[in-house]
Amino acid sequence: MSMPGDTAQADPEGCRGIMSAKEDAKWLQWVTHQFETIAGEDREINLQEFKTALNVKESFFAERFFALFDSDGSGTITLQELQEALTLLIHGNPMDKLKFLFQVYDVDGNGSIDADELRTVLQSCLLESAISLSEEKLDQLTLALFESADKDCSGDITFEELRDELQHFPGVMENLTISAAHWLKPPATKRHPPRPRPLTSAYWHNHRSQLLCLAAYTGLHVLLFALAASAHRALGISVMVAKGCGQCLNFDCSFITVLMLRRCLTWLRATWLAQVLPLDQNIQFHQLMGYVVVGLSLVHTVAHVVNFVLQARSESSPFQFWELLLTTRPGIGWVHGLASPTGVALLLLLLLMFACSSSCIRRSGHFEVFYWTHLSYLPMWLLLILHGPNFWKWLLVPGILFFLEKAVGLAVSRMAALSIVEVNLLPSKVTHLLIKRPPLFNYRPGDYLYLNIPTIARYEWHPFTISSAPEQKDTIWLHIRSEGQWTNRLYESFKASDPVDCDSKRLSRSLRMRRSQRRPPVSEMPPENHQLCNIKCYIDGPYGTPTRRIFASEHAVLIGAGIGITPFASILQSIMYRYQKRKHICPNCQHCWMEGIQDDDMKLHKVDFIWINRDQRSFEWFVSLLTKLEMDQAEEPQDGRFLELHMYMTSALGKNDMKAIGLQMALDLVAKKEKKDSITGLQTRTQPGRPDWNKVFQKVAAEKKGKVQVFFCGSPALAKVLKVHCEQFGFRFFQENF
């Protein structure tokens, strides 16, 4: 093999070449450090040490790399041998790298690749990518790639034939020239997502309602503090600070509950105020006000303590400090001198609630601690009424709204018990519940409800997104991922229960359920564990979410990560229901046409749905729904489809990884031949790795289908990344609380 100069210098895309050279130099330094750390006094490493040094777990590729790097066949690699081999890969031309790839595939070293060798390589690629396919499918992939490359039908693939075959996959050839640093990767370092720049017009476009409300909130506090402090300026600075903070607390402790009035917020989403108020950030504002209440309470308390110390030191005061702070004897307050003891009790309750509201408590399987301590707002309100003479005036309107909402919710949820009529246990510990739909339960796509199952926990209510479409009249679907104590108990209870434990009419009810679900279709593959049952439950809702804006969008991009697909399952079904409602077919010539797809209910021109999953089995949750959506558009041209699907599997090695090149070529060939993806069974090809969001959003922007709005449900870390990209492209971004 020849060894030309550094291709980075000759790269026509200079910027990318420079970055590639920097990556390679850094990577080579990392490899050298790994070698020196593991090698002993003999300065050589064996196969096991090689696997440890470069984090290559799959034995096939580790053995092939080791054999090729071991130039003298001694069974060990010296640092010089390793550096020479890797330098050749880094500075070699594309043909050098292609020859190395061929040598990896040529297991017996006879200068050609036979079908069995190729099958071994593809099987190792599947293991590296955590993809599980049947033996028959593996044989099919092997034969598809082998027959395509073996042009002369000799039964072997030569280097020239592999080179010619790669010419049909420009992306693969491009990846061979990018960087050797992608071939054997060091462990990925955790990178923090870029922070949005708050001074840009795009940032203002996406956050103007939040910023205006935050400014109004801050201004109101300054005004309340100033008015209360100035009214008590004759009593000294400590009293002024205490009274100013107390007036702000009057507002915060009463208004903080308004942010959690879910029925009121759902009603507001249907009005013009939804365009002005940041209703989607109600929980974030609730948390912010909680922090403000804690801070103001501490300042309020310290100011009073300072005042009590000054009073106790005064010769004219008959009371000691502890009497002023803990007893009713000084007569401080408007109800029997209770201001001081109620203040101490309030501070202790507040600090307890604050500590138990931390994410480490809520997300570590101790939700009950958060739930029950949060109910202390009721005694806190009572103590606040006794503590401050004006608090009841501030609480009057919010308190009436709060108790009305609670009364209505209790009446609706407990009016009649519902039944869970069917349960499906899906991969990755997902529980699919089918609940009999109440007659007056009207909801919109993407809405959520609160669920109570007394047999799991009598007093616990948990929110879950409704995954069925509103057009489905007989049942409500919920897909629940087992991530906490309650959801794990739910899954395990059905997993351990006897499927025969149901009423005597189970076959009749099953027939009714199946007939009622023919339109829209069932949205998942046949589950691994299916039970018919009759379990009592209660629901409270429905409540609105940011996804209600989807139907008012022109070009909607729906991004779901893992179980974050659940709100979009309902939305996609409803979208296609409305879409098919406008579709007409001529009875004579079978010509199809659409009639007025835009109306007041749905203004959509285009929908892009992006689903990101970690593993293969997670796609089984909704694969039949997606298959039906593809079938509904089968007669339309690819570039003119109303709904476009994009599937990503993050555990699969990307096309820039040498260990996956053969597999991705085979998958492409089979998908082109069968018009079906081998991983999911969909027509849409599943892409390996994570999306390149710059390319994804560039494509969306280039389609020019109208104003783009991005809706996301998934992890907060990915939400931050998407928000930054949306601001760069000028897209509106909406996030479902997950």
Side-chain angles (χ1 to χ4, degrees):
M1 287 190 244
S2 60
M3 280 183 55
D6 190 350
T7 56
Q9 301 299 326
D11 190 347
E13 295 180 44
C15 184
R16 189 183 71 183
I18 293 171
M19 288 301 296
S20 201
K22 289 182 179 179
E23 286 182 7
D24 288 334
K26 184 177 180 181
W27 173 71
L28 192 57
Q29 183 181 4
W30 173 80
V31 171
T32 303
H33 174 73
Q34 289 290 95
F35 185 96
E36 293 174 346
T37 302
I38 295 176
E41 295 181 357
D42 57 357
R43 310 299 291 166
E44 295 180 353
I45 59 174
N46 57 28
L47 175 59
Q48 186 58 44
E49 291 171 335
F50 175 76
K51 293 163 71 174
T52 304
L54 295 184
N55 295 288
V56 181
K57 298 178 182 178
E58 222 295 307
S59 60
F60 172 80
F61 288 106
E63 292 168 4
R64 294 302 302 140
F65 292 152
F66 186 86
L68 294 174
F69 292 166
D70 182 16
S71 57
D72 59 3
S74 63
T76 59
I77 299 176
T78 65
L79 178 59
Q80 182 179 356
E81 284 179 323
L82 183 63
Q83 288 179 332
E84 286 177 356
L86 296 182
T87 301
L88 178 66
L89 293 178
I90 292 174
H91 300 302
N93 59 27
M95 200 57 59
D96 293 332
K97 298 174 183 180
L98 183 56
K99 286 181 180 178
F100 180 79
L101 175 66
F102 181 82
Q103 290 175 327
V104 171
Y105 282 33
D106 181 15
V107 179
D108 58 13
N110 66 351
S112 63
I113 305 170
D114 61 34
D116 292 309
E117 287 176 321
L118 185 59
R119 189 184 191 279
T120 301
V121 172
L122 295 187
Q123 187 173 31
S124 300
C125 291
L126 290 173
L127 292 173
E128 285 279 351
S129 295
I131 298 175
S132 176
L133 298 178
S134 65
E135 294 293 320
E136 293 77 12
K137 178 58 72 173
L138 176 58
D139 291 341
Q140 184 183 7
L141 290 171
T142 303
L143 291 175
L145 180 56
F146 190 86
E147 291 174 354
S148 179
D150 185 18
K151 303 297 183 185
D152 58 3
C153 300
S154 63
D156 292 297
I157 300 175
T158 64
F159 172 76
E160 289 74 17
E161 287 176 328
L162 178 63
R163 179 196 61 200
D164 295 340
E165 180 65 18
L166 283 171
Q167 300 299 327
H168 298 99
F169 299 88
V172 174
M173 287 300 295
E174 179 185 0
N175 287 325
L176 281 173
T177 67
I178 290 177
S179 172
H182 292 294
W183 291 34
L184 293 167
K185 295 183 179 180
T189 55
K190 186 176 180 180
R191 293 184 299 176
H192 296 286
R195 296 181 63 85
R197 292 176 293 176
L199 299 179
T200 62
S201 59
Y203 185 90
W204 169 256
H205 180 68
N206 265 327
H207 300 86
R208 58 180 181 270
S209 59
Q210 298 100 294
L211 294 174
L212 289 173
C213 282
L214 193 59
Y217 177 73
T218 305
L220 178 62
H221 276 63
V222 172
L223 178 62
L224 291 174
F225 187 94
L227 291 175
S230 63
H232 297 84
R233 58 182 179 271
L235 300 178
I237 187 66
S238 61
V239 176
M240 291 174 63
V241 171
K243 294 297 184 181
C245 291
Q247 189 75 320
C248 294
L249 285 168
N250 281 334
F251 170 77
D252 286 330
C253 292
S254 57
F255 188 77
I256 194 170
T257 57
V258 174
L259 297 172
M260 302 307 292
L261 298 179
R262 292 183 290 268
R263 292 182 187 277
C264 294
L265 293 174
T266 300
W267 174 78
L268 286 174
R269 290 181 190 277
T271 68
W272 62 271
L273 289 172
Q275 306 297 323
V276 180
L277 300 175
L279 302 179
D280 301 337
Q281 284 73 40
N282 66 304
I283 293 179
Q284 288 87 336
F285 272 97
H286 176 81
Q287 293 171 336
L288 172 64
M289 290 189 74
Y291 287 117
V292 171
V293 167
V294 172
L296 289 174
S297 298
L298 291 173
V299 175
H300 177 78
T301 302
V302 170
H304 272 309
V305 167
V306 170
N307 182 48
F308 291 161
V309 169
L310 294 176
Q311 285 190 39
R313 289 179 178 178
S314 174
E315 296 181 357
S316 60
S317 175
F319 303 107
Q320 297 183 24
F321 169 75
W322 67 270
E323 292 178 304
L324 292 168
L325 184 64
L326 300 175
T327 70
T328 61
R329 291 179 57 192
I332 303 172
W334 74 300
V335 179
H336 303 295
L338 285 172
S340 292
T342 54
V344 173
L346 280 167
L347 185 62
L348 294 176
L349 272 177
L350 180 63
L351 293 177
L352 175 65
M353 183 188 292
F354 179 74
C356 295
S357 299
S358 62
S359 58
C360 63
I361 296 291
R362 289 184 287 112
R363 300 185 184 277
S364 61
H366 299 90
F367 180 83
E368 297 86 350
V369 176
F370 161 77
Y371 177 78
W372 289 108
T373 55
H374 235 60
L375 290 180
S376 60
Y377 66 83
L378 293 172
M380 282 187 69
W381 276 350
L382 178 60
L383 290 172
L384 281 166
I385 291 172
L386 298 175
H387 180 76
N390 295 315
F391 179 73
W392 69 271
K393 301 174 185 176
W394 291 88
L395 183 64
L396 189 60
V397 174
I400 291 173
L401 287 175
F402 177 81
F403 284 109
L404 280 176
E405 169 146 327
K406 287 296 182 182
V408 170
L410 184 63
V412 170
S413 62
R414 295 293 184 179
M415 188 177 297
L418 303 178
S419 299
I420 300 173
V421 295
E422 192 170 335
V423 179
N424 299 317
L425 301 183
L426 304 178
S428 302
K429 297 188 72 175
V430 173
T431 308
H432 175 205
L433 302 181
L434 282 78
I435 302 173
K436 186 176 180 181
R437 182 172 176 176
L440 300 178
F441 190 82
N442 299 315
Y443 65 97
R444 296 187 183 183
D447 284 359
Y448 70 99
L449 55 77
Y450 276 78
L451 176 67
N452 170 256
I453 305 177
T455 56
I456 303 297
R458 183 177 297 275
Y459 300 108
E460 290 188 31
W461 293 77
H462 293 268
F464 299 106
T465 302
I466 303 170
S467 53
S468 54
E471 290 80 10
Q472 186 172 327
K473 301 300 181 183
D474 295 307
T475 56
I476 302 167
W477 292 356
L478 302 177
H479 284 76
I480 302 172
R481 180 77 175 266
S482 299
E483 291 186 329
Q485 195 173 28
W486 189 92
T487 52
N488 274 307
R489 286 207 307 266
L490 175 71
Y491 182 88
E492 295 300 331
S493 68
F494 287 116
K495 187 177 181 180
S497 63
D498 186 356
V500 182
D501 184 19
C502 54
D503 62 25
S504 59
K505 298 291 185 180
R506 67 180 188 278
L507 294 179
S508 300
R509 186 175 66 254
S510 175
L511 181 61
R512 290 197 302 272
M513 290 298 114
R514 293 182 185 280
R515 287 176 174 173
S516 70
Q517 293 164 18
R518 286 177 181 171
R519 291 188 182 183
V522 254
S523 66
E524 65 278 315
M525 295 175 65
E528 61 186 15
N529 196 343
H530 170 262
Q531 299 178 27
L532 301 175
C533 53
N534 185 20
I535 298 174
K536 184 171 71 172
C537 70
Y538 299 95
I539 61 174
D540 179 23
Y543 299 113
T545 65
T547 52
R548 284 193 171 192
R549 301 172 185 261
I550 287 176
F551 293 94
S553 308
E554 294 176 343
H555 188 169
V557 180
L558 316 181
I559 304 175
I563 199 64
I565 187 184
T566 46
F568 302 134
S570 172
I571 290 162
L572 290 173
Q573 291 179 81
S574 188
I575 285 175
M576 293 311 297
Y577 179 87
R578 302 182 193 196
Y579 183 75
Q580 292 299 322
K581 195 175 180 181
R582 294 164 175 78
K583 188 174 182 179
H584 300 277
I585 303 177
C586 176
N588 298 322
C589 65
Q590 302 300 310
H591 173 68
C592 299
W593 74 95
M594 301 301 300
E595 199 173 86
I597 193 169
Q598 283 198 68
D599 57 23
D600 293 336
D601 293 329
M602 190 168 82
K603 300 179 180 179
L604 284 166
H605 294 285
K606 176 73 183 295
V607 177
D608 280 284
F609 172 64
I610 301 172
W611 191 12
I612 308 164
N613 268 317
R614 180 177 302 169
D615 53 63
Q616 180 184 1
R617 296 199 69 194
S618 297
F619 288 104
E620 298 175 13
W621 299 336
F622 295 97
V623 73
S624 66
L625 165 63
L626 300 178
T627 301
K628 180 63 170 64
L629 297 177
E630 287 185 330
M631 291 172 59
D632 288 342
Q633 301 186 108
E635 298 177 359
E636 299 179 19
Q638 186 72 32
D639 56 350
R641 292 186 175 179
F642 172 70
L643 172 64
E644 191 171 344
L645 305 180
H646 312 268
M647 307 286 119
Y648 291 89
M649 181 175 166
T650 58
S651 67
L653 298 178
K655 294 182 179 180
N656 61 348
D657 193 309
M658 189 202 65
K659 300 187 291 293
I661 288 176
L663 175 62
Q664 295 303 327
M665 290 168 60
L667 288 171
D668 284 342
L669 287 168
V670 172
K672 185 177 180 180
K673 179 181 178 181
E674 296 186 345
K675 309 295 183 187
K676 185 173 68 173
D677 181 59
S678 298
I679 296 175
T680 63
L682 298 170
Q683 295 175 10
T684 303
R685 173 80 162 85
T686 302
Q687 299 299 320
R690 291 175 170 79
D692 184 333
W693 294 113
N694 271 326
K695 290 183 179 179
V696 170
F697 287 159
Q698 282 174 5
K699 180 178 180 295
V700 169
E703 291 179 351
K704 299 186 183 302
K705 296 289 186 179
K707 292 183 178 180
V708 178
Q709 294 188 334
V710 178
F711 300 85
F712 172 70
C713 184
S715 69
L718 181 54
K720 293 179 181 178
V721 174
L722 291 172
K723 187 179 294 185
V724 172
H725 282 89
C726 286
E727 289 169 6
Q728 291 174 351
F729 284 87
F731 300 161
R732 291 293 303 275
F733 178 79
F734 301 96
Q735 179 186 0
E736 177 104 7
N737 290 316
F738 184 66

